[in-house]
Amino acid sequence: MTRLAFILALLFTAPWEQADTVDVKDRGRVDLTPFNCQDITRSSVISRVCYDAADRRMLVQRHAVYFQYCDLPKDKVDALLNAPSMGRYFATNIAPPGENAPYGCPTPRNG
């Protein structure tokens, strides 16, 4: 009985860790360890932004789906996070419609 109480005590006092990987559209699982993530509550389009400053990669969760953007300068991320309308800034400056999105990542090669 003492062992059970000890195990339960350990279980309930252990810190809960968030998932350290997410599924990213067209990329598969991405490890969040190098990313600094922020939950967004003031946007109807964007719900989370994760940025890896060393690799200049950003993950954006839009409508429950994560998307990746590459070679993105930190000042663009800061501008997104501080924009009056995050969705409008995002659509205009980071991921405009069309094939020539300035921060699109190269398509991963299979094999």
Side-chain angles (χ1 to χ4, degrees):
M1 187 69 164
T2 306
R3 285 186 193 175
L4 179 59
F6 179 72
I7 291 170
L8 288 174
L10 283 177
L11 186 63
F12 288 113
T13 59
W16 177 256
E17 302 267 339
Q18 284 189 331
D20 55 0
T21 61
V22 293
D23 283 316
V24 177
K25 185 173 173 72
D26 299 328
R27 303 283 160 191
R29 300 293 285 170
V30 173
D31 183 5
L32 291 180
T33 302
F35 290 87
N36 178 19
C37 295
Q38 295 181 38
D39 292 328
I40 307 299
T41 58
R42 64 182 187 87
S43 175
S44 62
V45 176
I46 297 170
S47 54
R48 193 170 194 206
V49 173
C50 299
Y51 185 65
D52 176 357
D55 285 341
R56 294 171 40 126
R57 286 188 305 155
M58 181 174 69
L59 303 178
V60 173
Q61 185 181 31
R62 297 180 356 220
H63 307 293
V65 177
Y66 280 92
F67 298 87
Q68 179 173 273
Y69 301 92
C70 294
D71 201 26
L72 192 77
K74 181 154 179 13
D75 64 327
K76 289 283 186 185
V77 177
D78 292 341
L80 169 68
L81 294 172
N82 294 310
S85 170
M86 292 178 76
R88 183 174 294 144
Y89 182 89
F90 179 81
T92 303
N93 297 286
I94 295 174
E99 296 288 321
N100 296 324
Y103 302 106
C105 299
T107 304
R109 294 183 186 186
N110 292 332

